Amino acid sequence: MKGPPPLAPVDRASLVATRRDIHQHPELGFEETRTAALVAERLRKLDYHVTPGVGKTGVVGLKKNDGRCVLLRADMDALPVEEANAVPYRSKAPGKMHACGHDGHVAIGLEVARRLAPLELGGSVKFAFQPAEEASNGAQAMIGDGVLEAPRVNAAFGIHLWNDLPVGTVGVMAGPVMASVDQFEIAILGRGGHAAAPHQTIDPVLVAAHVITALQSLVSRRRDPLSEAVVSVTEVHAGRAFNVIPDRADLRGTVRTFGGHFFEDAPRLVEDTAQGVASAFGAHVNVNYRRLSAPLINNEELSRLMRDVAADLIGADNVRQGVRTMGGEDMAFFLEKVPGCFAFVGSAPRTGGRASPHHSPTFDIDEESLVIAAELLTQTAIRYLS
Ligand code: NI
């Protein structure tokens, strides 16, 4: 009698080789064709049922079984950053770089798929290799193409390699851990004229300055101080000459929250503030407010499951509570539809000093984090399905 094979150990060499291969060939959102082809080929060899083209360049791998279905998600896209690292696996694509660690996420996903493939599991495992996380629209594209159906997904898990945490630690907690991402654009319409005769104009530059200042008071005066929020104005465009008052100024920026009243009220508050300030000066505004992604909210029970797995793996002392960020993450869209958990796996290099931040041209990870993340997701899936 031959039973199902035991769980194979993590293949560190192959995990690192895959990550470095993808690192050398970064692809931007919805252009991940090489990465998607590599993923599809590997999954097919492992006997997964593979569906390419889910959410444009996304790939789904399914190992079907009776029982519940767990989804494991890995994002695949790179950033428009020129790599400044002098490493053998440096990016070969000018102006593009895996500066957020998604190369590692793909390698981890494939290693988890390899280890789960021969096992007899108590349910289905579905891998979502997702495009375009950075622009916050890849998850929605995959959901729109039915990734959460057939079979219906009961829970979703994912990780982010995280340079704010040292390698050997993991951050897991229930509730909101990544922020909502809203974007606003404010066009301030005044009346142009001579810089020496401002009384004949409605100066949109001055109005813009007041609008920026007033928007900063939203967080200090319109928000419950016990709820988290950030408002940042990040773009200001106006004028072309030192002696001409322009007729228009344009502002762009972002609002980040963990949900709650301020999240609900923000579109109205931004619009009312811009409108009110502008009208005090006799100007008009057009406000375009868009929600890009919701806050990422971890399910209580499934966070406990993932935290227990992490504690068994690296010791409870190394499982950090309270790891959250006002950064956004479109895994939020999956977790809006199904319960699940998204964890931060420490990847700060052991070299000492501060790790390069995500999205910087010198970003890199300690590759031991790949092993920890692969083990964490493998054991989480097994435990969820057993
Ligand atoms: Ni990222």
Side-chain angles (χ1 to χ4, degrees):
M1 286 281 286
K2 222 179 122 205
L7 180 62
V10 172
D11 184 342
R12 188 184 200 284
S14 131
L15 193 46
V16 168
T18 304
R19 181 255 162 171
R20 292 184 176 193
D21 175 50
I22 296 167
H23 190 87
Q24 286 181 290
H25 302 96
E27 296 171 300
L28 301 181
F30 292 131
E31 295 173 5
E32 307 93 333
T33 50
R34 180 189 183 274
T35 312
L38 181 152
V39 165
E41 192 203 318
R42 294 272 197 98
L43 292 175
R44 280 196 191 101
K45 277 195 187 140
L46 294 166
D47 272 340
Y48 281 84
H49 182 267
V50 175
T51 315
V54 179
K56 295 181 190 168
T57 40
V59 180
V60 174
L62 176 66
K63 175 179 155 70
K64 209 170 169 185
N65 230 319
D66 290 338
R68 297 193 285 184
C69 176
V70 64
L71 179 130
L72 302 176
R73 179 272 208 170
D75 44 3
M76 304 191 289
D77 55 327
L79 285 157
V81 171
E82 179 76 28
E83 177 152 20
N85 291 315
V87 288
Y89 49 91
R90 185 179 187 277
S91 167
K92 289 181 172 169
K96 297 178 196 172
M97 177 190 177
H98 271 292
C100 197
H102 301 184
D103 49 344
H105 300 171
V106 177
I108 291 159
L110 288 173
E111 177 63 5
V112 176
R114 184 188 72 82
R115 295 175 79 210
L116 293 181
L119 302 186
E120 258 176 37
L121 297 168
S124 300
V125 185
K126 200 187 275 192
F127 286 88
F129 287 89
Q130 185 207 299
E133 189 284 320
E134 299 291 354
S136 293
N137 47 12
Q140 279 174 302
M142 290 195 89
I143 293 167
D145 281 356
V147 70
L148 294 176
E149 305 300 324
R152 175 162 295 222
V153 171
N154 300 103
F157 295 96
I159 58 99
H160 207 302
L161 297 173
W162 206 240
N163 266 15
D164 290 343
L165 289 176
V167 68
T169 66
V170 171
V172 196
M173 66 181 280
V177 296
M178 293 189 80
S180 60
V181 180
D182 295 351
Q183 182 198 79
F184 59 79
E185 294 170 339
I186 302 171
I188 298 162
L189 310 172
R191 191 168 63 234
H194 202 295
H199 59 292
Q200 295 169 354
T201 74
I202 294 171
D203 181 358
V205 175
L206 180 63
V207 177
H210 282 273
V211 169
I212 293 167
T213 308
L215 288 175
Q216 286 310 318
S217 64
L218 294 183
V219 168
S220 77
R221 285 299 171 265
R222 302 300 287 271
R223 168 203 57 133
D224 178 342
L226 296 178
S227 77
E228 303 83 352
V230 175
V231 175
S232 289
V233 178
T234 53
E235 291 183 48
V236 185
H237 305 282
R240 304 172 64 83
F242 89 100
N243 54 359
V244 176
I245 290 173
D247 59 2
R248 169 181 181 140
D250 290 278
L251 306 177
R252 286 177 97 196
T254 184
V255 176
R256 310 290 176 106
T257 74
F258 284 146
H261 286 301
F262 191 77
F263 173 71
E264 301 302 330
D265 296 346
R268 181 181 56 78
L269 288 173
V270 167
E271 171 132 24
D272 286 358
T273 301
Q275 212 117 48
V277 170
S279 75
F281 288 84
H284 294 282
V285 291
N286 288 329
V287 179
N288 180 9
Y289 196 99
R290 290 202 297 150
R291 299 241 195 242
L292 298 188
S293 70
L296 188 155
I297 298 171
N298 281 336
N299 172 272
E300 185 87 40
E301 186 191 335
L302 299 178
S303 301
R304 199 175 314 124
L305 183 148
M306 208 169 184
R307 196 166 60 231
D308 290 348
V309 170
D312 289 351
L313 204 63
I314 56 173
D317 288 352
N318 291 314
V319 182
R320 302 275 175 91
Q321 275 285 339
V323 179
R324 304 198 284 175
T325 162
M326 298 309 280
E329 165 59 71
D330 74 357
M331 176 79 183
F333 288 105
F334 290 116
L335 298 186
E336 239 178 13
K337 307 261 184 215
V338 296
C341 181
F342 190 72
F344 301 96
V345 175
S347 55
R350 281 190 224 263
T351 46
R354 267 187 70 83
S356 277
H358 290 258
H359 295 203
S360 77
T362 51
F363 178 82
D364 205 353
I365 55 164
D366 186 316
E367 287 170 327
E368 187 59 25
S369 63
L370 302 172
V371 176
I372 295 168
E375 197 71 76
L376 176 64
L377 278 177
T378 305
Q379 300 288 355
T380 298
I382 292 171
R383 199 172 294 189
Y384 176 77
L385 292 176
S386 62

